[in-house]
Amino acid sequence: MTEQKTYNALFLCTHNSARSIMAECLMRRWGAGRFHAWSAGSHPSGRINPHTLATLKAFNLPTDGLRSKSWDEFSRPDAPALDFVFTVCDQAAGEMCPVWNGTPLTAHWGVEDPSAASGTEDRIRMAFRRTYVELESRIKIFASLRVEQLDRLTLQSSLHAIGTVHGAFGTGRGSDADVMADA
């Protein structure tokens, strides 16, 4: 029997404190055994947003060992060779990325920044949950692809198409009641 390749995926955001951290954790869950996942930021904040950690814990995802880190860690000679690099925020997508080890396929999966949410604690919590659900929808689809059976062009096209998928609410902007029901 042939040993299955494990793919390396990196999720990028400017501050590496919310969206990219969630994506890293979600890929670890849904891609377990097939994907290694990391996250990083172009200008990392040095801390993970407390609402990110609360959201991950609410959905029973482990948070041990998570840290906000620079994308420079993944361009060093000893960094893992990357197969996939995803930007999850528009600002990071517009920045000049470092040269990665490997020849990764790239895609932009822009998601609204929950850290920009304001208002009551419930409204902020709901913004983080909406982001979580949208990222989870995309990552579940991606993790279900038979990557090893697709040529690069088909795979690249699939990555871009997945970036247009929104959460369970159809638009990624579900009602507050929908988000609370998902928790």
Side-chain angles (χ1 to χ4, degrees):
M1 189 182 249
T2 307
E3 189 173 319
Q4 185 177 356
K5 175 180 168 58
T6 303
Y7 297 94
N8 293 324
L10 177 63
F11 294 91
L12 302 174
C13 201
T14 304
H15 300 295
N16 191 219
S17 65
R19 294 167 284 187
S20 53
I21 294 284
M22 285 185 201
E24 173 185 356
C25 291
L26 284 161
M27 181 57 84
R28 288 180 180 175
R29 170 178 278 173
W30 297 109
R34 292 189 56 225
F35 294 91
H36 290 294
W38 296 275
S39 65
S42 56
H43 304 290
S45 67
R47 69 174 190 83
I48 298 172
N49 187 304
H51 290 286
T52 301
L53 294 172
T55 301
L56 293 170
K57 288 177 184 174
F59 286 99
N60 298 312
L61 285 171
T63 59
D64 299 342
L66 292 176
R67 65 186 177 87
S68 176
K69 57 201 158 298
S70 173
W71 65 9
D72 293 336
E73 289 186 28
F74 296 92
S75 64
R76 296 179 184 153
D78 61 341
L82 298 172
D83 298 295
F84 303 97
V85 175
F86 301 95
T87 52
V88 293
C89 79
D90 293 339
Q91 186 172 337
E95 295 183 83
M96 180 64 86
C97 291
V99 175
W100 312 114
N101 290 335
T103 52
L105 291 173
T106 61
H108 177 56
W109 288 359
V111 180
E112 193 173 326
D113 185 4
S115 301
S118 61
T120 67
E121 190 65 27
D122 281 345
R123 291 200 73 68
I124 294 168
R125 184 172 46 252
M126 286 183 276
F128 277 81
R129 290 182 178 198
R130 271 194 301 275
T131 297
Y132 177 95
V133 169
E134 188 166 343
L135 287 167
E136 183 177 46
S137 295
R138 293 175 183 181
I139 289 168
K140 285 169 94 174
I141 293 168
F142 174 66
S144 71
L145 291 177
R146 296 287 175 224
V147 173
E148 62 282 350
Q149 295 176 358
L150 300 173
D151 62 75
R152 280 184 73 86
L153 185 58
T154 303
L155 191 52
Q156 184 69 64
S157 178
S158 297
L159 298 181
H160 287 296
I162 292 169
T164 65
V165 171
H166 294 285
F169 317 113
T171 64
R173 314 284 188 265
S175 73
D176 294 346
D178 291 336
V179 174
M180 292 307 288
D182 267 355

